[in-house]
Amino acid sequence: MQTVTLPRPDDWHVHLRDGAILKAVLPYTARAFGRAIIMPNLRPPVTTAAMVAEYRSAIMEVLPEGMSFTPLMTLYLTDATDPDDLKKGFTEGIVTAAKLYPANATTNSELGVTKIKNIASVLETMQQIGMPLLVHGEVTDPYVDIFDREAVFIDKILTPLRKDFPDLRIVFEHITTSEAVDYITAEGLDGKLAATITPHHLHINRNALFQGGIRPHYYCLPVAKREKHRLALVKAATSGEKMFFLGTDTAPHTRQAKESVCGCAGIFSAPSALELYLQIFDEAKCLEKFEAFASRNGPDFYRLPANEEWVVYEKTSKEFNEIKPILTENGEILSFMASAPITWRLVNT
Ligand code: NCD
Ligand code: ZN
């Protein structure tokens, strides 16, 4: 039997939401991952260190007995973020990183940053204290084609931002294009720039959205791109290079909210994310690089040790694994590739 043994992985990009959805989805992330970077785009967003602390407590309160999991919290930047509050949150160990959503780029980003210059003093502080900036890398100009918004972001926003704040440590979240892969590969050697890659962007290209009709459950932001971009992402993830690491961007929405005249962006992958990544590494014949991607590169970037606990995944002969809809008070949530043949599974030790 083929097995992969590695330090318990972490997920460096997760949406847990709050209330009934938080309670329903948290066990799926905590089952596979030791720690996770928790996104702050709640309604209302998590914009102060005090709100971050409160959100952290809400998560810990619903963590099932016997599960060990550490949420690493983020603060949602707005035009009005107070650099002193952010600094205090970081130095006290409450806030791990700050998230930059360009206003209106994605789900619950209406209160995001309208112009980088509005947060110049915040970025200056973050650069000084070594606090990571996590970016949703898409421009919001409606005249820019939706499939080009990431590549344009690199030229118009990220490159000038890095010129102005050369020591700022940045994670380009959920990259989807060969342009982003090339940029990170070239610029990330100094350890100040890295990127997360999701399981869905490794598995699907944009055709999935229109397979025989419109498929809202494959819609997320940044939207999936052409096949050549998917292949570039697979190559980057399976390279084991330190600037690429695991971040699922698991983003639960109820079925009702997805299957609508204006369905929301977000793919929920938590129940099988780790297994779906393993499948990609297996198919690429790069399983030996999985430990770097899933368990080492992320902690290294965030200046944390890898998890001490080790876990084992094994390849089974089972070829069908139906993940049932998750029932919550707010409605049911469907999983990404819920009927896909999944051949990897966590061995309970
Ligand atoms: C995320 C969500 O639903 O909160 N949606 C998504 O499509 N990825 C927000 C985000 O990360 O862009
Ligand atoms: Zn996200």
Side-chain angles (χ1 to χ4, degrees):
M1 175 122 24
Q2 211 175 353
T3 60
V4 170
T5 303
L6 74 174
R8 191 169 168 76
D10 302 302
D11 186 345
W12 300 97
H13 188 128
V14 171
H15 300 270
L16 288 178
R17 315 299 189 204
D18 52 8
I21 297 196
L22 165 63
K23 195 164 180 204
V25 302
L26 176 61
Y28 294 97
T29 291
R31 177 190 68 101
F33 300 102
R35 296 167 291 198
I37 283 279
I38 311 302
M39 289 295 142
N41 62 334
L42 302 183
R43 269 177 201 279
V46 183
T47 51
T48 64
M51 290 174 88
V52 170
E54 209 176 295
Y55 185 28
R56 190 183 191 284
S57 306
I59 295 167
M60 294 314 285
E61 226 161 82
V62 295
L63 183 68
E65 280 278 321
M67 285 192 124
S68 81
F69 172 70
T70 305
L72 302 171
M73 306 305 291
T74 64
L75 184 147
Y76 181 117
L77 296 177
T78 71
D79 288 347
T81 301
D82 173 5
D84 295 333
D85 179 61
L86 186 67
K87 184 175 177 177
K88 189 160 174 281
F90 181 70
T91 46
E92 287 177 359
I94 299 162
V95 189
T96 298
K99 178 72 190 270
L100 166 60
Y101 290 104
N104 301 312
T106 186
T107 310
N108 297 348
S109 64
E110 297 80 0
L111 295 175
V113 173
T114 58
K115 280 200 183 80
I116 296 294
K117 75 170 178 19
N118 295 343
I119 56 163
S121 60
V122 171
L123 299 179
E124 188 60 52
T125 301
M126 291 177 67
Q127 175 170 253
Q128 253 167 34
I129 61 181
M131 180 179 199
L133 175 74
L134 317 183
V135 299
H136 182 106
E138 287 189 288
V139 292
T140 53
D141 181 347
Y143 292 102
V144 177
D145 190 282
I146 188 167
F147 294 101
D148 297 334
R149 285 180 191 173
E150 182 174 287
V152 173
F153 180 87
I154 298 171
D155 293 339
K156 292 266 157 54
I157 313 278
L158 191 55
T159 303
L161 188 154
R162 293 188 59 246
K163 212 163 148 235
D164 290 344
F165 302 96
D167 289 324
L168 188 58
R169 304 174 59 242
I170 300 176
V171 183
F172 193 164
E173 298 290 338
H174 41 51
I175 56 168
T176 61
T177 57
S178 62
E179 286 88 345
V181 167
D182 292 347
Y183 183 77
I184 301 287
T185 305
E187 301 279 319
L189 290 167
D190 62 4
K192 289 183 211 149
L193 180 68
T196 52
I197 303 180
T198 76
H200 43 279
H201 291 114
L202 293 173
H203 274 276
I204 61 167
N205 62 36
R206 65 189 195 175
N207 286 346
L209 281 149
F210 308 108
Q211 223 174 71
I214 189 122
R215 303 275 188 161
H217 293 282
Y218 289 126
Y219 176 56
C220 67
L221 287 170
V223 69
K225 308 295 192 296
R226 288 176 183 275
E227 178 64 1
K228 69 172 183 191
H229 296 290
R230 188 189 72 84
L231 293 173
L233 294 170
V234 170
K235 197 162 164 235
T238 60
S239 70
E241 293 293 340
K242 65 173 181 176
M243 58 286 262
F244 299 107
F245 47 84
L246 188 160
T248 62
D249 193 20
T250 176
H253 290 283
T254 62
R255 183 169 189 162
Q256 205 180 7
K258 297 280 300 168
E259 298 173 10
S260 140
V261 283
C262 186
C264 349
I267 291 178
F268 176 63
S269 61
S272 57
L274 207 282
E275 293 81 353
L276 289 171
Y277 281 117
L278 268 167
Q279 205 144 349
I280 292 285
F281 278 71
D282 189 5
E283 279 160 22
K285 304 208 177 343
C286 293
L287 280 171
E288 76 284 0
K289 298 286 171 45
F290 191 63
E291 180 174 328
F293 179 74
S295 311
R296 303 266 179 210
N297 298 347
D300 283 355
F301 182 87
Y302 279 89
R303 299 176 174 162
L304 294 167
N307 289 313
E308 273 171 25
E309 188 195 344
W310 286 67
V311 293
V312 183
Y313 280 82
E314 69 180 13
K315 191 174 178 173
T316 68
S317 51
K318 196 172 166 196
E319 285 210 333
F320 200 81
N321 188 355
E322 182 78 32
I323 301 167
K324 297 210 169 62
I326 290 158
L327 305 174
T328 79
E329 277 166 33
N330 302 7
E332 61 180 9
I333 298 166
L334 304 190
S335 282
F336 177 61
M337 292 180 68
S339 313
I342 288 174
T343 48
W344 287 90
R345 72 163 184 220
L346 178 63
V347 181
N348 287 317
T349 46

